[in-house]
Amino acid sequence: MPRAYSYVGPLDILQRVAGEPTGTPIRHHADLQHWVETQPASLLSIPATFIVDLAGVLLLAERRSEHVVCAGGHAVLAAGEVVVERGQPPFIAQITNQSTGYCPEPDSWESVQRAIQHLPQDVMEGFSPAFTFRRCPACTQINVVKDDDFECLVCGCVLPQEWNF
């Protein structure tokens, strides 16, 4: 069973969920085609926010939208950023787990892979790039771990090796 990630970001962003539209479900290739057609025609590469909901469905939203809004305030199986290439057919060219609102582990790729397996695209090995997030136990700052340096960038405290949100 994949891990479900609850929202861990700022409360003021969570409060924006009320009244905002959630992401667009992408269950089939036709859904992706329709979503691409709603984006500005000038964009050949379309950056977007994505989540995979608890039912395993990929949802896409405008790049500047918050992951928690895309998810309707609910927990997710994965979250991050995606680039969709406009083409015939359109396809996902890049996908990351960059979401400081949910801080999903790189292992959440398995949920993404299941959610996009029905879309026409090149084989993807995983997130590119993959991010590792840890909350500092001393100052509670969310950190992106780089180069396996598990040290808080704010206070210098050692960060846990295990996911801790």
Side-chain angles (χ1 to χ4, degrees), residues 53-69:
D53 70 13
L54 295 179
V57 176
L58 175 73
L59 281 81
L60 297 179
E62 286 187 25
R63 167 77 171 63
R64 291 182 182 91
S65 63
E66 296 291 341
H67 293 97
V68 69
V69 173

Side-chain angles (χ1 to χ4, degrees), residues 8-165:
V8 297
L11 183 58
D12 63 318
I13 293 176
L14 179 60
Q15 292 171 337
R16 291 185 207 167
V17 171
E20 292 289 323
T22 61
T24 301
I26 308 297
R27 292 183 180 91
H28 307 285
H29 173 259
D31 296 335
L32 183 61
Q33 179 71 44
H34 177 73
W35 183 84
V36 165
E37 290 168 0
T38 67
Q39 304 307 303
S42 61
L43 295 176
L44 297 179
S45 296
I46 307 165
T49 294
F50 87 89
I51 63 101
V52 175
D53 70 13
L54 295 179
V57 176
L58 175 73
L59 281 81
L60 297 179
E62 286 187 25
R63 167 77 171 63
R64 291 182 182 91
S65 63
E66 296 291 341
H67 293 97
V68 69
V69 173
C70 183
H74 301 289
V76 300
L77 298 178
E81 304 297 325
V82 64
V83 175
V84 177
E85 293 290 332
R86 191 181 296 273
Q88 294 303 324
F91 64 96
I92 294 174
Q94 182 182 7
I95 195 161
T96 77
N97 64 321
Q98 185 176 2
S99 169
T100 56
Y102 286 100
C103 299
E105 295 176 281
D107 289 350
S108 65
W109 172 252
E110 294 175 21
S111 294
V112 173
Q113 193 172 30
R114 281 191 295 279
I116 66 173
Q117 68 186 354
H118 60 281
L119 300 176
Q121 61 190 66
D122 294 335
V123 174
M124 300 173 91
E125 301 278 329
F127 293 117
S128 177
F131 292 88
T132 299
F133 300 95
R134 294 295 184 269
R135 184 179 298 279
C136 178
C139 73
T140 71
Q141 180 69 35
I142 293 174
N143 285 263
V144 176
V145 176
K146 296 180 181 176
D147 300 323
D148 288 328
D149 183 7
F150 285 79
E151 182 178 311
C152 179
L153 295 174
V154 175
C155 72
C157 180
V158 174
L159 299 171
Q161 293 289 315
E162 298 295 318
W163 188 78
N164 67 336
F165 290 91

